[in-house]
């Protein structure tokens, strides 16, 4: 038997913070690729501390639903899962290349394949592009468009900016969009000046965050000048300084993210059969109907209240 | 009722390695099969005779099939929980026998079969679980489970919202009756008005897991004597980042904290962690069926706040209040702490926590800066 554990942050204050975790877990449940699929959280239940013991499977794949490598993926999660043999060197990562490490969870004697976070997996690049497609309701979006990936910045975690730049570079290499730029909330180049960085009239802005919350639904839209007050909402696209800004919700809410979770587990040796195809088809059909586009309002404050 | 042919076949297949469950026992020996079903014993049977003897023990046979074939999972928490649901003997329960003997004595197969026709009820926190036969008139051993809020035990099913997908439990458990988010799943604020009916055993375990995550696993470990409790200090010392400070919380404050957070009125988990191994806390850990094995993330987050607040020095203040106003402050704090504020009637000015009383006190005693008090010790 094999199990998948999706390890996410969650929130004591805002129930929406865990919505993407539940949604992607349910998608993967539907594929039947794992005997057990379990959500686990730092701020909700089941806590990281107790999740492994709720599983009957002996082979457990843990995928952190986090954007970057850093404090949570390198310290908190392995410690709380009681992976005594863990050492960040096991990932041999430069900050964006973590793959997996196989360890024992000491309290339960099960084999844990501890995977790198979803945010730094190569497949995340596709999710960002798909996010641009759903936001513009155009599967061929690219020509005449600039794309910006937005992240938090380096104040809390030096790897946070690396993940943003990594995907921006990969998208740029594809020559699909006229321009690609990594922008940040708390460091240069700043998202506040988004229009300064683009010549294209149309700019798609994709925030590389897991859940919609304070940053994606309040800070960033106001900083970019999409709206005076986030409570009033904003248009997609919105006119700012002669550009059209296509602002999407957090990339973590994109259906295709379930595919990245699956890939992480498969890279670590999970047998997932044709689950990826199933998830990709599902995500494509959702994108095709445009069901998930437009601003998602009212998710309130406090996505991450750590 | 007759025993199905494939049950017989399955039993014969297993007989060589021995069958033993709930009073049914089959051993294969050189002299043929020995069969035991409850009080009855048949030694040295050939296959045909075994078949006939099993025909007369059909309850034992269908019970065996349900547990071995449908539920399976020998040694798992899932199986133990489902057995607990119908008061079947638990393999690891010998030392628990005394505790359970009076109210909760395990039932043998015939008694259980009688009871499963009517349904056997169990409570798990605010959840009420009924185990019953799928086919009540002609039971073939297959069980299903109903799940609802204990407050709805007497409600008509037609008045409840009926669900059959265990994941829906997540939605139900997200907000309380007043629409407030419930970050602590075991807070006694689960809303009523819903029911899951006819769940399979696996689905029941999933649904309970969505309502009260990890409670079954920890209950099971506790029964096996394998609950790994992490006491306050260990847990506090393990923290890093912004929670690094919580091990500085004075012992006394940890007492206040458990009294504030962990008692039954706030959390249905039974607190098993103490200040330290051998250094117990005074506050009552509660009586719930499922244990709490270490401080939860909510308590850790609150502890951080208290660790910071407790690092402040105490001072002496002077403020003018009448005796009734002092009493009113007590009533106000008490009403908030007990979550009683919403129950106080608009015109009940006898209650010190009445809103008009509070507004009057504020109008009278607050200046520009709030409460007018003077520091007198410096
Ligand atoms: S630490 Fe206290 S409040 Fe938290 S789950 Fe345990 S008993 Fe409940």
């Amino acid at each position: 038997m094999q199990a998948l554990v999706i390890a996410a942050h969650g929130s004591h204050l805002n129930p929406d913070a865990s919505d993407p975790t539940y949604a992607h877990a349910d998608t993967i449940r539907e594929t039947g690729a794992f005997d057990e699929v379990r959500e686990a959280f730092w701020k909700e239940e089941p806590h990281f501390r107790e999740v492994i013991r709720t599983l009957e499977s002996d082979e457990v794949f843990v995928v952190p639903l986090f954007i970057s490598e850093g404090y949570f993926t390198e310290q908190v999660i392995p410690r709380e899962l009681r992976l005594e043999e863990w050492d960040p060197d096991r990932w041999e990562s430069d900050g964006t290349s973590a793959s997996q490490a196989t360890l024992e969870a000491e309290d339960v004697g099960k084999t844990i394949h501890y995977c790198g976070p979803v945010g730094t997996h190569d497949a995340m690049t596709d999710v960002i592009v798909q996010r641009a497609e759903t936001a513009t309701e155009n599967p061929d979006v690219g020509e005449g468009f600039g794309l910006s990936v937005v992240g938090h910045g380096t104040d809390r975690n030096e790897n946070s900016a690396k993940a943003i730049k990594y995907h921006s570079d990969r998208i740029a290499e594809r020559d699909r969009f006229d321009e690609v730029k990594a922008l940040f909330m708390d460091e240069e180049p700043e998202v506040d000046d988004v229009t300064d960085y683009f010549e294209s009239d149309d700019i798609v802005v994709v925030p590389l965050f897991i859940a919609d919350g304070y940053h994606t639904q309040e800070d960033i839209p106001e900083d970019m000048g999409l709206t005076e007050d986030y409570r009033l909402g904003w248009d997609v696209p919105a006119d700012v300084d002669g550009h059209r800004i296509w602002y999407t919700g957090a990339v973590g809410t994109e259906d295709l993210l379930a595919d990245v979770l699956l890939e992480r587990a498969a890279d670590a040796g999970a047998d997932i059969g044709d689950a990826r195809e199933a998830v990709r088809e599902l995500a494509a059909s959702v994108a095709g109907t445009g069901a998930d586009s437009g601003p998602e309002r009212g998710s309130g404050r406090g996505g991450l209240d750590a | 009722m007759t025993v199905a042919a494939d049950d017989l076949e399955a039993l014969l297949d297993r007989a060589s390695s021995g069958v033993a469950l709930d009073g049914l026992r089959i051993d294969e020996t050189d002299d043929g099969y020995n069969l035991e079903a409850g009080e009855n014993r048949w030694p040295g049977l050939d296959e045909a005779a075994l078949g006939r003897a099993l025909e007369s023990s059909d309850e034992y046979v269908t019970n065996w099939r349900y547990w071995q074939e449908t539920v399976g999972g020998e040694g798992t928490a899932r199986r133990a929980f489902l057995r607990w649901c119908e008061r079947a003997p638990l393999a690891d329960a010998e030392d628990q026998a005394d505790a359970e003997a009076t109210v909760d004595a395990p039932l043998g197969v015939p008694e259980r079969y009688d009871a499963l026709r009517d349904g056997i009820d169990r409570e798990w926190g605010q959840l009420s679980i009924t185990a019953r036969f799928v086919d009540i008139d002609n039971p073939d051993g297959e069980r299903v489970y109903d799940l609802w809020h204990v407050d709805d035990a007497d409600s008509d099913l037609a008045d409840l919202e009926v669900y059959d997908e265990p994941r829906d439990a997540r939605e139900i458990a997200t907000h309380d009756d007043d629409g407030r988010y419930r970050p602590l799943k075991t807070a006694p604020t689960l809303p009523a008005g819903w029911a899951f009916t006819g769940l399979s055993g696996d689905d029941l375990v999933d649904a309970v897991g969505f309502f009260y995550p990890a409670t079954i696993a920890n209950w099971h470990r506790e029964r096996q004597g394998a609950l790994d409790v992490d006491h306050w200090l260990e847990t506090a010392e393990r923290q890093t980042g912004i929670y690094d400070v919580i091990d500085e919380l004075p012992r006394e404050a940890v007492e206040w904290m458990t009294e504030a957070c962990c008692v039954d009125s706030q959390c249905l988990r039974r607190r098993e962690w103490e200040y330290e191994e051998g250094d117990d806390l005074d506050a009552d850990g509660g009586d719930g069926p499922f244990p709490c094995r270490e401080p939860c993330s909510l308590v850790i987050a609150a502890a951080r706040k208290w660790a910071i607040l407790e690092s402040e020095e105490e001072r002496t203040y002077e403020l003018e209040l009448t005796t009734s106003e002092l009493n009113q402050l007590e009533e106000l704090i008490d009403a908030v702490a007990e979550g009683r504020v919403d129950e106080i009637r608009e015109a009940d000015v006898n209650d010190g926590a009445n809103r008009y009383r509070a507004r009057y006190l504020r109008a009278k005693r607050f200046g520009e800066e709030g409460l007018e008090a003077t520091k007198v010790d410096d």
Side-chain angles (χ1 to χ4, degrees):
Chain A
M1 284 176 81
Q2 59 175 13
L4 175 70
V5 170
I6 305 174
H9 194 285
S11 165
H12 290 153
L13 301 176
N14 172 13
D16 302 337
S18 48
D19 285 352
T21 315
Y22 289 134
H24 304 315
D26 287 348
T27 303
I28 294 171
R29 281 189 181 99
E30 298 294 341
T31 69
F34 291 86
D35 301 291
E36 297 167 285
V37 177
R38 194 83 77 236
E39 305 87 342
F41 301 97
W42 172 235
K43 294 285 195 161
E44 295 180 36
E45 298 166 88
H47 193 267
F48 299 151
R49 201 77 188 146
E50 305 202 304
V51 66
I52 305 292
R53 64 186 50 196
T54 68
L55 301 166
E56 290 183 16
S57 308
D58 287 322
E59 292 281 317
V60 182
F61 297 84
V62 177
V63 183
L65 191 57
F66 283 78
I67 289 300
S68 48
E69 296 170 29
Y71 179 57
F72 277 101
T73 60
E74 290 181 356
Q75 289 189 47
V76 175
I77 300 173
R79 177 188 80 212
E80 298 295 301
L81 292 177
R82 283 170 265 209
L83 306 178
E84 304 279 334
E85 301 292 308
W86 165 255
D87 185 307
D89 290 343
R90 291 250 194 169
W91 269 350
E92 291 181 12
S93 175
D94 62 4
T96 56
S97 59
S99 52
Q100 74 106 27
T102 300
L103 302 138
E104 281 274 299
E106 297 294 325
D107 59 325
V108 285
K110 290 182 195 283
T111 303
I112 311 296
H113 302 276
Y114 183 51
C115 304
V118 290
T120 55
H121 194 279
D122 282 356
M124 193 67 171
T125 309
D126 297 332
V127 183
I128 296 169
V129 172
Q130 171 134 25
R131 199 76 190 142
E133 294 172 9
T134 41
T136 55
E137 294 181 38
N138 176 3
D140 302 315
V141 62
E143 210 185 317
F145 272 78
L147 176 84
S148 172
V149 185
V150 179
H152 196 285
T154 55
D155 63 329
R156 301 200 300 186
N157 167 6
E158 62 160 317
N159 285 334
S160 140
K162 284 189 192 166
I164 316 296
K165 289 182 186 137
Y166 181 71
H167 294 296
S168 302
D169 291 347
R170 282 171 50 86
I171 295 169
E173 279 163 24
R174 294 180 184 182
D175 281 335
R176 171 171 176 165
F177 294 88
D178 290 354
E179 304 164 90
V180 181
K181 193 82 199 168
L183 297 175
F184 302 94
M185 295 179 63
D186 281 354
E187 69 168 275
E188 296 284 327
E190 287 196 6
V191 67
D192 303 39
D193 311 316
V194 57
T195 51
D196 293 354
Y197 294 101
F198 289 90
E199 284 173 13
S200 318
D201 288 341
D202 287 285
I203 308 167
V204 185
V205 178
V206 181
L208 199 59
F209 287 80
I210 291 297
D212 273 317
Y214 176 54
H215 291 317
T216 64
Q217 299 289 304
E218 302 180 23
D219 268 10
I220 298 175
E222 288 185 7
D223 288 353
M224 286 195 299
L226 297 187
T227 176
E228 287 281 295
D229 182 337
Y230 72 91
R231 281 166 295 211
L232 302 172
W234 55 86
D235 296 326
V236 177
D239 289 320
V240 177
D241 298 337
H243 295 262
R244 272 192 301 275
I245 308 271
W246 303 74
Y247 180 62
T248 76
V251 74
T253 61
E254 183 69 33
D255 295 294
L256 196 55
L257 202 76
D259 179 62
V260 187
L261 287 159
L262 282 171
E263 292 215 33
R264 274 287 184 216
D267 293 347
D271 175 9
I272 60 166
D274 53 7
R276 288 192 47 209
E277 287 70 37
V279 165
R280 284 183 163 263
E281 258 168 48
L282 183 81
S285 67
V286 173
T289 60
D292 208 23
S293 64
E296 291 151 10
R297 305 297 313 128
S299 49
R301 267 187 92 92
L304 298 181
D305 58 332
Chain B
M1 189 179 79
T2 57
V3 172
D6 48 347
D7 286 350
L8 279 183
E9 213 170 294
L11 270 170
L12 288 175
D13 272 359
R14 306 287 169 84
S16 54
S17 49
V19 164
L21 179 83
D22 289 355
L24 177 71
R25 194 177 189 96
I26 306 174
D27 300 304
E28 197 178 2
T29 67
D30 293 344
D31 306 327
Y33 297 101
N34 294 332
L35 169 67
E36 244 180 79
E39 307 284 286
N40 297 318
R41 282 178 171 60
W42 296 266
L45 302 172
D46 63 19
E47 227 178 276
L50 176 65
R52 283 192 300 277
L54 285 172
E55 292 272 345
S56 63
S57 317
D58 60 297
E59 292 187 341
Y60 287 90
V61 173
T62 58
N63 180 68
W64 175 86
R65 190 200 45 213
Y66 179 70
W67 288 109
Q68 301 310 100
E69 309 283 287
T70 308
V71 175
E74 203 87 48
T76 61
R78 171 174 58 91
R79 179 186 174 95
F81 180 73
L82 292 174
R83 288 183 64 81
W84 173 86
C85 284
E86 65 174 57
R87 296 175 56 190
L90 293 166
D92 48 54
E94 253 102 281
D95 50 347
Q96 303 273 338
D98 290 342
E100 284 198 325
T102 42
V103 273
D104 246 3
L107 303 176
V109 171
E111 297 88 351
R112 236 187 302 144
Y113 265 52
D114 274 348
L116 281 166
R117 287 188 173 85
D118 297 334
I120 297 174
D121 297 327
R122 287 293 212 172
E123 282 188 14
W124 190 256
Q126 287 184 292
L127 303 178
S128 173
I129 299 163
T130 303
R132 60 177 168 88
F133 284 128
V134 180
D135 184 341
I136 290 164
D137 298 323
N138 195 9
D140 60 358
E142 290 302 309
R143 279 79 152 162
V144 282
Y145 304 85
D146 306 320
L147 176 66
W148 48 67
H149 195 290
V150 285
D151 292 350
D152 285 327
D154 300 322
S155 299
D156 207 323
L157 203 55
D159 296 331
L160 304 176
E161 186 115 10
V162 178
Y163 298 88
D164 55 12
E165 167 56 63
R167 284 177 230 163
D168 291 332
R170 278 188 325 225
E171 282 296 304
I172 299 170
T174 301
H175 297 99
D176 67 14
D177 276 328
D178 296 323
R180 281 176 305 211
Y181 175 40
R182 300 173 65 243
L184 181 66
K185 292 273 195 357
T186 45
T189 53
L190 187 69
W194 48 269
F196 290 81
T197 58
L199 293 174
S200 70
D202 284 357
D203 281 353
L204 173 75
V205 169
D206 281 350
V208 172
F210 283 125
F211 279 118
Y212 294 145
T215 54
I216 293 177
N218 283 320
W219 164 85
H220 180 56
R221 290 180 75 107
E222 183 178 48
R223 296 193 67 100
Q224 293 176 314
L227 185 70
D228 46 345
V229 175
D230 282 9
H231 297 289
W232 169 257
L233 264 192
E234 289 172 66
T235 307
E237 283 167 357
R238 194 178 74 228
Q239 305 301 317
T240 53
I242 60 168
Y243 298 106
D244 195 23
V245 297
I246 66 168
D247 58 353
E248 289 160 29
L249 194 64
R251 190 191 181 294
E252 201 181 18
V254 177
E255 287 281 1
W256 299 325
M257 183 177 75
T258 50
E259 193 181 321
C261 303
C262 302
V263 293
D264 276 353
S265 67
Q266 306 302 310
C267 176
L268 298 170
R269 279 202 176 89
R270 170 169 33 82
R271 182 179 55 75
E272 287 298 317
W273 54 269
E274 302 292 351
Y275 186 69
E276 232 183 322
E277 178 80 57
D279 183 358
D280 288 2
L281 296 161
D282 287 337
D284 187 17
D287 299 317
F290 33 85
C292 172
R293 49 162 302 283
E294 76 175 49
C296 65
S297 71
L298 208 70
V299 159
I300 298 288
R304 172 170 181 259
K305 188 74 201 173
W306 287 314
I308 295 165
L309 295 179
E310 288 298 338
S311 67
E312 276 178 47
E313 249 174 78
E314 292 196 345
R315 302 194 171 273
T316 308
Y317 291 89
E318 200 172 80
L319 73 166
E320 301 277 312
L321 291 177
T322 68
T323 306
S324 294
E325 284 167 352
L326 184 66
N327 293 342
Q328 194 189 341
L329 282 184
E330 274 177 39
E331 284 184 69
L332 276 165
I333 291 172
D334 202 52
V336 172
E338 292 302 323
R340 202 165 62 76
V341 178
D342 290 343
E343 294 158 25
I344 300 167
R345 285 165 298 175
E346 196 81 3
D348 187 2
V349 290
N350 289 324
D351 195 314
N354 170 272
R355 193 170 76 246
Y356 295 127
R357 289 274 307 274
R359 291 178 64 84
Y360 183 91
L361 186 69
R362 183 176 67 173
K364 176 176 174 187
R365 296 295 182 189
F366 280 25
E368 294 275 283
E369 307 279 290
L371 197 58
E372 284 179 337
T374 327
K375 236 181 272 169
V376 292
D377 61 347
D378 60 7

